[in-house]
Amino acid sequence: MRRSRIPALSLSSALLVAIGFSAQTALAQQAPAVVVAPATIMDLRESVDLTGKVTAIQKVDIRARVSGFLEAVNFTEGQKVTAGTELYRVEDGAYRAAVQEIEGQIEAAEAAKEFAILERDRAEQLLTSKTISQAKVDEAHAQVRKAEGDLIRLKGSKDNADLNLSYTKITAPFDGIVGLTAADVGALVGPDSGALVTLTRLDPIYVQFPVATALYLTYRERVLKGEISGGANVGLGLPNGTEYKQKGTINFIASNVSQGTDTVTVRAEFPNPDSILLDGALVRVMLEQSDKQDVLAVPQQAVQRDQQGAFVLVVDASSKVELRRIDVSRNARGQAVISKGLKEGENVITEGAGKVRPGITVDAATAAGG
Protein backbone atom coordinates (compact mmCIF):
# COMPACT_ATOMS: atom_id res chain seq x y z
CA MET A 1 0.00 0.00 0.00
CA ARG A 2 1.51 3.36 -1.01
CA ARG A 3 1.60 6.34 1.36
CA SER A 4 0.78 9.79 0.02
CA ARG A 5 3.56 12.32 0.42
CA ILE A 6 3.15 16.00 1.01
CA PRO A 7 5.07 17.91 -1.61
CA ALA A 8 8.19 19.70 -0.35
CA LEU A 9 6.95 22.98 -1.81
CA SER A 10 3.77 22.84 0.30
CA LEU A 11 5.79 22.29 3.48
CA SER A 12 8.01 25.26 2.71
CA SER A 13 5.01 27.51 2.10
CA ALA A 14 3.40 26.48 5.38
CA LEU A 15 6.61 27.18 7.24
CA LEU A 16 6.92 30.67 5.73
CA VAL A 17 3.30 31.46 6.67
CA ALA A 18 3.91 30.37 10.24
CA ILE A 19 7.07 32.44 10.52
CA GLY A 20 5.30 35.49 9.09
CA PHE A 21 2.40 35.09 11.48
CA SER A 22 4.76 34.83 14.44
CA ALA A 23 6.61 37.99 13.30
CA GLN A 24 3.34 39.92 12.98
CA THR A 25 2.25 38.76 16.42
CA ALA A 26 5.58 39.81 17.94
CA LEU A 27 5.35 43.16 16.17
CA ALA A 28 1.81 43.68 17.48
CA GLN A 29 2.98 42.95 20.99
CA GLN A 30 5.83 45.52 20.89
CA ALA A 31 5.49 48.23 23.58
CA PRO A 32 4.45 51.61 22.12
CA ALA A 33 7.12 54.29 22.25
CA VAL A 34 6.42 57.42 24.31
CA VAL A 35 8.38 60.41 25.59
CA VAL A 36 8.31 61.20 29.29
CA ALA A 37 9.49 64.02 31.54
CA PRO A 38 9.92 63.96 35.32
CA ALA A 39 7.91 66.10 37.72
CA THR A 40 10.50 68.64 38.84
CA ILE A 41 10.90 71.23 41.58
CA MET A 42 11.71 74.52 39.86
CA ASP A 43 11.58 78.26 40.41
CA LEU A 44 8.34 79.37 38.72
CA ARG A 45 7.50 82.77 40.13
CA GLU A 46 3.98 84.03 39.69
CA SER A 47 3.72 86.47 36.82
CA VAL A 48 1.20 88.40 34.77
CA ASP A 49 1.37 90.13 31.38
CA LEU A 50 -0.26 93.51 30.86
CA THR A 51 -0.36 96.16 28.16
CA GLY A 52 1.50 99.38 28.89
CA LYS A 53 2.34 102.69 27.24
CA VAL A 54 5.75 104.33 27.21
CA THR A 55 5.67 107.90 28.55
CA ALA A 56 8.51 110.41 28.58
CA ILE A 57 9.49 111.67 32.02
CA GLN A 58 9.87 115.20 30.64
CA LYS A 59 8.43 116.61 27.43
CA VAL A 60 8.01 120.32 26.71
CA ASP A 61 7.25 122.61 23.81
CA ILE A 62 10.01 125.20 23.43
CA ARG A 63 8.56 128.68 22.79
CA ALA A 64 9.92 132.18 22.23
CA ARG A 65 9.45 134.52 25.21
CA VAL A 66 10.33 137.72 23.36
CA SER A 67 9.52 138.91 19.84
CA GLY A 68 12.08 139.19 17.09
CA PHE A 69 13.57 137.63 13.99
CA LEU A 70 15.38 134.31 14.37
CA GLU A 71 19.09 134.81 13.86
CA ALA A 72 20.21 131.19 14.28
CA VAL A 73 18.94 127.61 14.68
CA ASN A 74 21.74 125.76 16.51
CA PHE A 75 20.70 122.12 16.41
CA THR A 76 20.05 119.23 14.07
CA GLU A 77 16.55 117.80 14.22
CA GLY A 78 16.52 114.55 16.20
CA GLN A 79 19.76 115.47 17.96
CA LYS A 80 20.51 114.76 21.62
CA VAL A 81 21.19 117.98 23.53
CA THR A 82 22.20 118.74 27.10
CA ALA A 83 20.59 121.17 29.50
CA GLY A 84 21.62 124.77 28.72
CA THR A 85 22.37 124.12 25.02
CA GLU A 86 21.39 127.13 22.90
CA LEU A 87 18.69 125.97 20.48
CA TYR A 88 17.63 129.28 18.89
CA ARG A 89 18.91 132.86 18.95
CA VAL A 90 16.68 135.90 18.39
CA GLU A 91 18.19 139.18 17.11
CA ASP A 92 19.11 141.03 20.29
CA GLY A 93 20.11 144.51 19.11
CA ALA A 94 16.98 146.25 20.38
CA TYR A 95 17.15 144.45 23.72
CA ARG A 96 20.81 145.35 24.26
CA ALA A 97 19.97 148.99 23.47
CA ALA A 98 17.16 148.91 26.02
CA VAL A 99 19.59 147.67 28.69
CA GLN A 100 22.12 150.41 27.87
CA GLU A 101 19.43 153.09 27.98
CA ILE A 102 18.29 152.03 31.43
CA GLU A 103 21.90 151.84 32.63
CA GLY A 104 22.28 155.49 31.63
CA GLN A 105 19.09 156.41 33.47
CA ILE A 106 20.37 154.63 36.56
CA GLU A 107 23.61 156.62 36.49
CA ALA A 108 21.59 159.84 36.24
CA ALA A 109 19.34 158.72 39.09
CA GLU A 110 22.33 157.92 41.29
CA ALA A 111 23.73 161.39 40.63
CA ALA A 112 20.32 162.91 41.45
CA LYS A 113 20.25 160.95 44.68
CA GLU A 114 23.71 162.18 45.71
CA PHE A 115 22.67 165.78 44.99
CA ALA A 116 19.45 165.34 46.99
CA ILE A 117 21.45 164.03 49.96
CA LEU A 118 23.78 167.05 49.82
CA GLU A 119 20.79 169.42 49.70
CA ARG A 120 19.20 167.66 52.66
CA ASP A 121 22.40 167.87 54.75
CA ARG A 122 22.80 171.57 53.90
CA ALA A 123 19.18 172.27 54.84
CA GLU A 124 19.62 170.59 58.20
CA GLN A 125 22.70 172.77 58.92
CA LEU A 126 20.80 175.92 57.99
CA LEU A 127 17.92 174.87 60.19
CA THR A 128 20.19 174.86 63.24
CA SER A 129 21.00 178.49 62.59
CA LYS A 130 17.33 179.15 61.88
CA THR A 131 18.17 180.41 58.41
CA ILE A 132 15.47 178.26 56.73
CA SER A 133 12.17 176.84 57.88
CA GLN A 134 11.37 173.27 58.88
CA ALA A 135 9.25 172.98 55.75
CA LYS A 136 12.34 173.40 53.56
CA VAL A 137 14.12 170.68 55.47
CA ASP A 138 11.15 168.35 55.08
CA GLU A 139 11.11 169.07 51.36
CA ALA A 140 14.83 168.17 51.14
CA HIS A 141 14.17 164.86 52.90
CA ALA A 142 11.34 164.15 50.45
CA GLN A 143 13.65 164.77 47.49
CA VAL A 144 16.12 162.19 48.83
CA ARG A 145 13.35 159.60 49.20
CA LYS A 146 12.11 160.38 45.69
CA ALA A 147 15.61 159.92 44.28
CA GLU A 148 15.92 156.59 46.12
CA GLY A 149 12.54 155.50 44.74
CA ASP A 150 13.50 156.46 41.19
CA LEU A 151 16.70 154.47 41.54
CA ILE A 152 14.83 151.35 42.77
CA ARG A 153 12.32 151.64 39.90
CA LEU A 154 15.09 151.95 37.31
CA LYS A 155 16.99 148.99 38.73
CA GLY A 156 13.79 146.97 38.43
CA SER A 157 13.46 148.09 34.82
CA LYS A 158 17.06 147.03 34.19
CA ASP A 159 16.40 143.58 35.67
CA ASN A 160 13.44 143.24 33.31
CA ALA A 161 15.52 144.44 30.35
CA ASP A 162 18.32 141.98 31.26
CA LEU A 163 15.75 139.20 31.44
CA ASN A 164 14.34 140.06 28.02
CA LEU A 165 17.88 140.13 26.62
CA SER A 166 18.55 136.69 28.07
CA TYR A 167 15.39 135.40 26.40
CA THR A 168 16.90 136.11 22.99
CA LYS A 169 18.92 132.92 23.58
CA ILE A 170 16.44 130.03 23.71
CA THR A 171 18.08 127.12 25.55
CA ALA A 172 17.22 123.51 26.43
CA PRO A 173 15.84 123.28 30.01
CA PHE A 174 16.98 119.64 30.38
CA ASP A 175 18.83 116.85 28.58
CA GLY A 176 16.76 115.40 25.78
CA ILE A 177 16.11 114.91 22.08
CA VAL A 178 14.84 117.75 19.91
CA GLY A 179 12.12 117.15 17.37
CA LEU A 180 11.29 118.93 14.12
CA THR A 181 11.72 122.72 14.13
CA ALA A 182 8.68 124.80 13.26
CA ALA A 183 10.69 127.96 12.45
CA ASP A 184 13.76 128.71 10.34
CA VAL A 185 16.32 131.50 10.35
CA GLY A 186 14.67 134.80 9.43
CA ALA A 187 11.24 133.89 10.80
CA LEU A 188 9.51 136.39 13.08
CA VAL A 189 8.76 134.67 16.38
CA GLY A 190 7.25 135.69 19.67
CA PRO A 191 5.17 134.52 22.63
CA ASP A 192 2.17 134.01 20.33
CA SER A 193 4.05 132.03 17.68
CA GLY A 194 3.36 128.62 19.22
CA ALA A 195 5.88 125.85 19.80
CA LEU A 196 9.19 126.19 17.95
CA VAL A 197 10.29 122.62 18.72
CA THR A 198 9.49 119.82 21.19
CA LEU A 199 12.17 118.59 23.59
CA THR A 200 11.73 115.07 24.98
CA ARG A 201 13.72 113.34 27.70
CA LEU A 202 13.96 109.59 27.02
CA ASP A 203 16.44 108.42 29.66
CA PRO A 204 15.17 107.31 32.07
CA ILE A 205 11.61 106.75 30.87
CA TYR A 206 8.24 105.74 32.32
CA VAL A 207 5.89 102.91 31.36
CA GLN A 208 2.31 103.24 32.60
CA PHE A 209 -0.05 100.28 32.65
CA PRO A 210 -3.54 99.58 34.04
CA VAL A 211 -4.10 96.74 36.51
CA ALA A 212 -7.61 95.35 36.99
CA THR A 213 -8.95 96.36 40.40
CA ALA A 214 -9.84 92.74 41.29
CA LEU A 215 -6.31 91.58 40.43
CA TYR A 216 -4.75 94.42 42.44
CA LEU A 217 -6.92 93.68 45.52
CA THR A 218 -6.12 89.97 45.36
CA TYR A 219 -2.42 90.79 45.16
CA ARG A 220 -2.64 93.10 48.20
CA GLU A 221 -4.51 90.47 50.23
CA ARG A 222 -1.91 87.79 49.45
CA VAL A 223 0.92 90.16 50.38
CA LEU A 224 -0.75 90.91 53.74
CA LYS A 225 -1.19 87.18 54.39
CA GLY A 226 2.49 86.57 53.60
CA GLU A 227 1.72 84.23 50.71
CA ILE A 228 3.79 86.30 48.27
CA SER A 229 6.28 89.14 48.56
CA GLY A 230 5.41 92.75 47.87
CA GLY A 231 8.26 93.21 45.39
CA ALA A 232 8.07 92.59 41.67
CA ASN A 233 10.48 92.34 38.76
CA VAL A 234 9.25 94.41 35.83
CA GLY A 235 10.19 93.41 32.29
CA LEU A 236 9.06 94.60 28.88
CA GLY A 237 8.16 92.93 25.61
CA LEU A 238 8.82 95.26 22.67
CA PRO A 239 6.48 95.72 19.66
CA ASN A 240 8.80 93.61 17.46
CA GLY A 241 8.44 90.61 19.78
CA THR A 242 11.84 90.89 21.48
CA GLU A 243 12.39 91.37 25.21
CA TYR A 244 13.84 94.63 26.51
CA LYS A 245 17.12 93.90 28.30
CA GLN A 246 16.76 96.47 31.08
CA LYS A 247 14.52 95.82 34.10
CA GLY A 248 12.26 98.47 35.61
CA THR A 249 11.20 99.58 39.07
CA ILE A 250 7.63 100.42 40.09
CA ASN A 251 7.61 103.96 41.47
CA PHE A 252 3.93 104.89 41.48
CA ILE A 253 0.55 103.26 42.18
CA ALA A 254 -2.53 105.45 41.79
CA SER A 255 -4.69 106.07 44.84
CA ASN A 256 -7.88 106.04 42.79
CA VAL A 257 -9.66 103.65 40.40
CA SER A 258 -10.42 104.67 36.83
CA GLN A 259 -14.20 104.51 36.69
CA GLY A 260 -14.33 103.93 32.95
CA THR A 261 -12.12 100.82 33.00
CA ASP A 262 -12.21 99.72 36.68
CA THR A 263 -8.41 99.65 36.76
CA VAL A 264 -5.61 101.07 38.89
CA THR A 265 -2.82 102.92 37.09
CA VAL A 266 0.70 101.70 37.90
CA ARG A 267 3.94 103.26 36.66
CA ALA A 268 7.44 101.82 36.34
CA GLU A 269 10.71 103.56 35.52
CA PHE A 270 13.22 102.06 33.08
CA PRO A 271 16.76 103.07 32.11
CA ASN A 272 16.80 103.88 28.39
CA PRO A 273 20.39 104.84 27.47
CA ASP A 274 20.06 103.81 23.82
CA SER A 275 16.62 105.42 23.33
CA ILE A 276 15.09 102.07 22.36
CA LEU A 277 11.87 102.91 24.23
CA LEU A 278 10.06 105.74 22.43
CA ASP A 279 7.46 108.06 23.88
CA GLY A 280 3.93 106.79 23.16
CA ALA A 281 4.91 103.22 22.17
CA LEU A 282 2.72 100.31 23.31
CA VAL A 283 4.61 97.51 25.08
CA ARG A 284 3.92 94.27 26.94
CA VAL A 285 4.59 94.64 30.66
CA MET A 286 5.71 91.45 32.41
CA LEU A 287 5.32 91.53 36.20
CA GLU A 288 7.05 88.72 38.09
CA GLN A 289 7.47 88.02 41.79
CA SER A 290 10.88 89.17 42.99
CA ASP A 291 11.27 86.33 45.53
CA LYS A 292 12.12 82.77 44.48
CA GLN A 293 9.13 80.38 44.32
CA ASP A 294 10.04 76.67 44.19
CA VAL A 295 7.09 74.56 43.00
CA LEU A 296 6.47 71.08 41.57
CA ALA A 297 5.81 71.30 37.82
CA VAL A 298 5.49 69.21 34.66
CA PRO A 299 5.43 70.29 31.00
CA GLN A 300 2.07 71.79 30.16
CA GLN A 301 1.48 69.35 27.26
CA ALA A 302 1.50 66.42 29.69
CA VAL A 303 -1.75 67.59 31.32
CA GLN A 304 -5.01 66.28 29.86
CA ARG A 305 -8.60 66.93 30.88
CA ASP A 306 -11.88 65.09 30.82
CA GLN A 307 -15.23 65.50 32.55
CA GLN A 308 -13.69 64.61 35.91
CA GLY A 309 -10.90 67.15 35.64
CA ALA A 310 -7.17 67.23 34.97
CA PHE A 311 -4.97 64.12 34.80
CA VAL A 312 -1.59 62.88 33.58
CA LEU A 313 -0.37 59.49 32.42
CA VAL A 314 2.42 58.34 34.73
CA VAL A 315 4.99 55.70 33.69
CA ASP A 316 6.19 53.75 36.71
CA ALA A 317 9.48 51.89 37.31
CA SER A 318 8.19 48.80 35.47
CA SER A 319 7.26 50.94 32.43
CA LYS A 320 3.52 50.54 33.03
CA VAL A 321 1.10 53.40 32.44
CA GLU A 322 -1.08 54.76 35.25
CA LEU A 323 -3.76 57.48 35.01
CA ARG A 324 -3.22 59.97 37.82
CA ARG A 325 -5.67 62.70 38.82
CA ILE A 326 -3.95 66.01 39.63
CA ASP A 327 -4.70 69.58 40.70
CA VAL A 328 -3.12 72.32 38.58
CA SER A 329 -2.80 75.65 40.41
CA ARG A 330 -1.47 77.68 37.45
CA ASN A 331 0.57 77.61 34.27
CA ALA A 332 3.84 79.48 33.81
CA ARG A 333 6.48 79.49 31.07
CA GLY A 334 5.13 76.31 29.47
CA GLN A 335 4.95 74.44 32.79
CA ALA A 336 1.91 73.31 34.79
CA VAL A 337 2.30 73.87 38.54
CA ILE A 338 1.02 70.79 40.38
CA SER A 339 -0.49 71.30 43.83
CA LYS A 340 -1.76 67.72 44.33
CA GLY A 341 -1.43 64.28 42.76
CA LEU A 342 2.26 63.95 41.85
CA LYS A 343 5.61 63.57 43.56
CA GLU A 344 8.98 64.86 42.49
CA GLY A 345 10.73 62.55 40.03
CA GLU A 346 7.62 60.72 38.75
CA ASN A 347 7.63 60.47 34.95
CA VAL A 348 4.66 61.73 32.97
CA ILE A 349 4.02 61.16 29.27
CA THR A 350 4.53 64.31 27.20
CA GLU A 351 4.43 62.72 23.71
CA GLY A 352 2.59 59.64 22.48
CA ALA A 353 -0.22 59.70 25.05
CA GLY A 354 -2.79 59.15 22.29
CA LYS A 355 -1.56 55.61 21.53
CA VAL A 356 -1.48 54.24 25.08
CA ARG A 357 -3.96 53.35 27.81
CA PRO A 358 -3.61 52.74 31.54
CA GLY A 359 -2.16 49.38 32.46
CA ILE A 360 -0.07 48.68 29.36
CA THR A 361 3.70 48.58 29.17
CA VAL A 362 5.42 51.27 27.10
CA ASP A 363 8.86 51.96 25.74
CA ALA A 364 9.62 55.30 27.46
CA ALA A 365 12.35 57.72 26.42
CA THR A 366 13.16 60.80 28.48
CA ALA A 367 12.53 64.14 26.78
CA ALA A 368 15.57 66.21 25.83
CA GLY A 369 16.55 68.34 28.82
CA GLY A 370 14.34 66.24 31.10
Side-chain angles (χ1 to χ4, degrees):
M1 188 174 180
R2 298 178 64 185
R3 293 182 180 177
S4 60
R5 295 182 179 180
I6 298 174
L9 182 60
S10 297
L11 288 172
S12 298
S13 297
L15 183 60
L16 289 173
V17 170
I19 292 173
F21 178 78
S22 298
Q24 289 179 4
T25 303
L27 184 62
Q29 291 177 349
Q30 276 187 356
V34 295
V35 178
V36 297
T40 307
I41 299 292
M42 60 180 65
D43 179 15
L44 285 178
R45 308 176 194 196
E46 293 189 49
S47 62
V48 63
D49 287 0
L50 303 164
T51 299
K53 185 176 182 180
V54 180
T55 305
I57 288 181
Q58 291 177 294
K59 183 178 180 180
V60 297
D61 290 335
I62 304 297
R63 300 173 182 269
R65 302 182 71 171
V66 293
S67 298
F69 291 98
L70 276 186
E71 191 173 65
V73 178
N74 299 317
F75 63 88
T76 301
E77 293 169 323
Q79 172 188 349
K80 285 185 178 181
V81 297
T82 57
T85 299
E86 183 181 296
L87 304 178
Y88 298 95
R89 186 166 65 251
V90 178
E91 289 183 345
D92 62 0
Y95 297 99
R96 288 188 181 280
V99 172
Q100 291 175 352
E101 180 180 355
I102 294 175
E103 287 175 344
Q105 292 174 356
I106 288 175
E107 288 187 10
E110 287 176 341
K113 177 184 174 181
E114 292 176 1
F115 180 76
I117 292 173
L118 290 174
E119 288 294 307
R120 180 199 62 191
D121 294 344
R122 187 179 297 113
E124 288 178 345
Q125 291 176 358
L126 292 174
L127 180 63
T128 57
S129 60
K130 297 184 180 180
T131 306
I132 61 173
S133 65
Q134 181 64 46
K136 290 292 184 179
V137 174
D138 293 341
E139 183 180 350
H141 278 278
Q143 288 298 321
V144 171
R145 289 195 296 274
K146 179 179 180 301
E148 290 174 342
D150 289 342
L151 193 57
I152 292 172
R153 175 178 57 79
L154 288 171
K155 287 181 177 179
S157 296
K158 183 179 182 300
D159 289 341
N160 188 58
D162 286 336
L163 193 60
N164 286 335
L165 179 60
S166 71
Y167 288 156
T168 60
K169 293 182 179 180
I170 303 173
T171 60
F174 52 81
D175 296 353
I177 297 177
V178 286
L180 298 174
T181 181
D184 294 322
V185 173
L188 179 61
V189 298
D192 299 327
S193 300
L196 300 179
V197 72
T198 299
L199 179 66
T200 306
R201 182 182 178 188
L202 294 181
D203 184 30
I205 201 163
Y206 290 148
V207 174
Q208 292 185 3
F209 51 96
V211 177
T213 306
L215 179 62
Y216 175 71
L217 292 176
T218 301
Y219 161 77
R220 293 295 303 232
E221 289 174 358
R222 295 187 65 190
V223 170
L224 292 175
K225 291 178 181 178
E227 296 177 0
I228 57 175
S229 67
N233 297 323
V234 190
L236 291 181
L238 301 178
N240 64 355
T242 61
E243 187 172 336
Y244 187 57
K245 294 181 180 179
Q246 304 276 6
K247 296 297 182 182
T249 304
I250 293 176
N251 64 0
F252 171 79
I253 299 176
S255 58
N256 63 300
V257 174
S258 174
Q259 299 301 315
T261 59
D262 194 28
T263 57
V264 176
T265 298
V266 180
R267 187 182 70 194
E269 182 178 313
F270 287 82
N272 191 30
D274 299 321
S275 301
I276 293 175
L277 301 177
L278 301 178
D279 180 50
L282 294 178
V283 293
R284 179 168 57 95
V285 181
M286 299 172 289
L287 295 180
E288 180 185 67
Q289 277 289 299
S290 58
D291 289 349
K292 188 177 181 181
Q293 284 185 298
D294 288 331
V295 293
L296 182 66
V298 297
Q300 208 168 322
Q301 66 265 30
V303 180
Q304 302 181 61
R305 284 180 168 80
D306 59 16
Q307 292 181 347
Q308 298 180 46
F311 68 91
V312 292
L313 296 177
V314 178
V315 178
D316 63 18
S318 60
S319 297
K320 285 189 176 182
V321 177
E322 174 192 350
L323 187 149
R324 187 80 60 80
R325 294 290 172 182
I326 59 170
D327 289 341
V328 179
S329 60
R330 59 187 172 89
N331 295 315
R333 300 202 297 270
Q335 300 288 323
V337 177
I338 308 302
S339 57
K340 183 180 179 182
L342 277 178
K343 296 180 180 178
E344 183 182 5
E346 290 188 302
N347 288 316
V348 298
I349 297 178
T350 58
E351 296 181 31
K355 56 186 178 183
V356 302
R357 65 181 184 277
I360 71 170
T361 300
V362 295
D363 179 14
T366 303

